[in-house]
Amino acid sequence: MRTPPLPLAEAQGRLLALAPQLTIEHRAVSECLGHYLAESVTSRRTQPAAPLSAMDGYALRSDSLPGPWQVIGESAAGHPYAGTIERNQSARISTGAIIPQGANMVLLQEDTTREGDTLRLTGTPPSPTDRHIRPAGMDFVGDSILLEAGTKIGPAQIALAIAGGHSHLPVRRPLRLTVIDSGDELVLPGQALNAHQLPASNGPMICAMAAALPLAITHTGPIADNLTDLAAALEAAHDADLIVTSGGASVGDHDLVRPALEAVGASIDFWRVGIKPGKPILVAKRGSQIILGLPGNPASAYVTAYLFMLPLLRASLGAAQPLPRTIPARLAEPLAKGGSRMEFLRAQWDGTTVTLDPLQDSGALSPLSRANALVVREAGADAKPAGMDVPVYLLENGGIA
């Protein structure tokens, strides 16, 4: 398995090709937040179903300008006027109300005066192209695609689906994720520590990164650097769709993820990717189950979870675009020449410029807590002066899904 590290794009492509095919279920729209549509959704109605007023005022016929007009009724939202508007007639109308038969424009109420049932124009009438009417079908028409398959369902998508006549939506069932911490040096958060020990922080961090997605998450560990114990933890998670381990994926004497995977019948798909931090990432398969072995250093675990775990989760749940995208950002300071691997540098982005954190060690957590961006430096890239654009991944909400 001591093969050359894979390029990032190839490794991501190989991993996404293994994404589990989760079954489709139809959930109440109100329960679909954070899911991805498994199938495209078509509108079952037209919106608006009839022309509506965009303003408060008076509905009338444009050929009766400049008035005056007789006010013969009212059209309110939910209570349309049943009659027909003839020349020199008008109906009081509110925003969102149906335009009465015969009317083709709305005078704003601030452009009029009314004495009893007589309405007069005092302001400027609307132009022929701006008559303050929302035409039928302005938003969408029946039998048109409202939302494409793979769309992430947020508050606006929930509202659109309901407006389109849907009470349930097709989504993938929640994915079963098990996260396993391993390492003799790890102890549970809050426990007393000796100098050689560390609080087990990677597992909670990885769980938190995934928590916004529709998952059933199990967190196990920390597990000692013991082949029997680690194999037992993997075996106990046999019902998970995805197992993510943290630590033990490298080549040291105490890195036991690979032999433990072999002990439970998993086969290694690939190991090592040409990135920094995060080179010793491992991907294995056991039946339909995927095992993703992340490095133990916290920055390495974070970056690989961002670049591999989250895209795999999104792909499994049906996302049309599972991979994160970069944006260009201007360097606030010079960027040194790249090394032998593609690098992901923790940084702060202010909306225009990006500033590298001075501490880039993969064992440091404080740069992660300060970072809202990862600057991408390609392997062997030339040095770049301040003011030049570089590709950046934005870690919105700390990089969670």
Side-chain angles (χ1 to χ4, degrees):
M1 290 296 295
R2 191 74 175 177
T3 56
L6 292 177
L8 175 64
E10 180 181 346
Q12 287 176 321
R14 285 177 61 165
L15 177 63
L16 295 186
L18 300 175
Q21 297 300 304
L22 306 179
T23 56
I24 297 174
E25 57 187 24
H26 286 76
R27 287 182 166 245
V29 176
S30 60
E31 298 175 359
C32 289
L33 182 66
H35 284 259
Y36 296 88
L37 279 174
E39 302 166 350
S40 294
V41 171
T42 301
S43 58
R44 295 174 175 171
R45 56 181 296 275
T46 294
Q47 181 159 305
L52 304 179
S53 177
M55 304 292 286
D56 292 335
Y58 293 87
L60 46 85
R61 289 171 50 158
S62 59
D63 62 3
S64 62
L65 286 167
W69 301 270
Q70 179 188 7
V71 180
I72 61 171
E74 181 178 3
S75 183
H79 301 279
Y81 177 68
T84 299
I85 302 297
E86 306 290 348
R87 287 198 66 188
N88 300 317
Q89 293 180 335
S90 67
R92 184 80 172 93
I93 195 164
S94 57
T95 302
I98 290 179
I99 301 294
Q101 188 72 28
N104 65 353
M105 68 177 296
V106 174
L107 282 183
L108 304 186
Q109 65 179 28
E110 54 263 37
D111 291 332
T112 64
T113 58
R114 180 175 173 178
E115 297 176 3
D117 289 336
T118 300
L119 179 72
R120 299 182 187 279
L121 176 66
T122 56
T124 302
S127 68
T129 58
D130 184 16
R131 296 188 176 186
H132 308 304
I133 292 177
R134 296 168 180 160
M138 177 192 72
D139 199 355
F140 54 82
V141 297
D143 296 324
S144 62
I145 292 180
L146 279 180
L147 296 165
E148 299 278 357
T151 298
K152 188 172 185 179
I153 302 170
Q157 289 74 28
I158 287 174
L160 179 59
I162 291 172
H166 292 271
S167 62
H168 291 72
L169 293 175
V171 296
R172 302 285 173 180
R173 68 158 174 83
L175 182 142
R176 297 184 294 268
L177 169 67
T178 294
V179 177
I180 300 175
D181 284 306
S182 67
D184 283 342
E185 75 280 15
L186 301 179
V187 298
L188 290 171
Q191 291 189 347
L193 297 172
N194 295 313
H196 65 280
Q197 294 177 315
L198 290 170
S201 59
N202 279 2
M205 175 181 70
I206 292 165
C207 290
M209 292 176 74
L213 289 168
L215 309 171
I217 303 177
T218 301
H219 180 206
T220 300
I223 305 297
D225 288 323
N226 176 287
L227 181 58
T228 301
D229 291 346
L230 187 52
L234 292 170
E235 190 57 49
H238 65 275
D239 286 336
D241 300 299
L242 172 64
I243 298 175
V244 176
T245 65
S246 171
S250 192
V251 294
D253 293 339
H254 300 284
D255 292 310
L256 301 175
V257 170
R258 283 178 54 212
L261 288 171
E262 293 167 356
V264 298
S267 58
I268 308 299
D269 188 276
F270 66 86
W271 172 59
R272 301 199 309 159
V273 179
I275 60 174
K276 181 181 179 181
K279 178 181 176 182
I281 186 173
L282 178 150
V283 173
K285 191 172 177 64
R286 178 171 61 169
S288 62
Q289 183 183 74
I290 306 302
I291 301 98
L292 185 59
L294 305 184
N297 280 324
S300 302
Y302 184 97
V303 168
T304 49
Y306 180 79
L307 294 173
F308 290 93
M309 180 190 74
L310 291 183
L312 178 62
L313 292 174
R314 296 187 195 109
S316 301
L317 293 165
Q321 310 245 342
L323 291 171
R325 296 180 177 181
T326 61
I327 66 164
R330 190 179 310 152
L331 285 169
E333 56 194 356
L335 181 64
K337 176 179 172 60
S340 60
R341 286 181 279 163
M342 177 186 283
E343 294 180 74
F344 299 89
L345 307 169
R346 278 71 75 204
Q348 295 86 46
W349 182 67
D350 64 7
T352 304
T353 59
V354 65
T355 303
L356 299 185
D357 198 280
L359 181 57
Q360 293 293 328
D361 191 284
S362 63
L365 275 167
S366 56
L368 284 178
S369 71
R370 293 188 289 264
N372 65 357
L374 294 174
V375 171
V376 182
R377 178 164 58 186
E378 296 287 345
D382 293 335
K384 293 179 173 56
M388 179 173 284
D389 282 349
V390 291
V392 167
Y393 288 111
L394 295 184
L395 305 179
E396 184 178 4
N397 298 324
I400 64 175

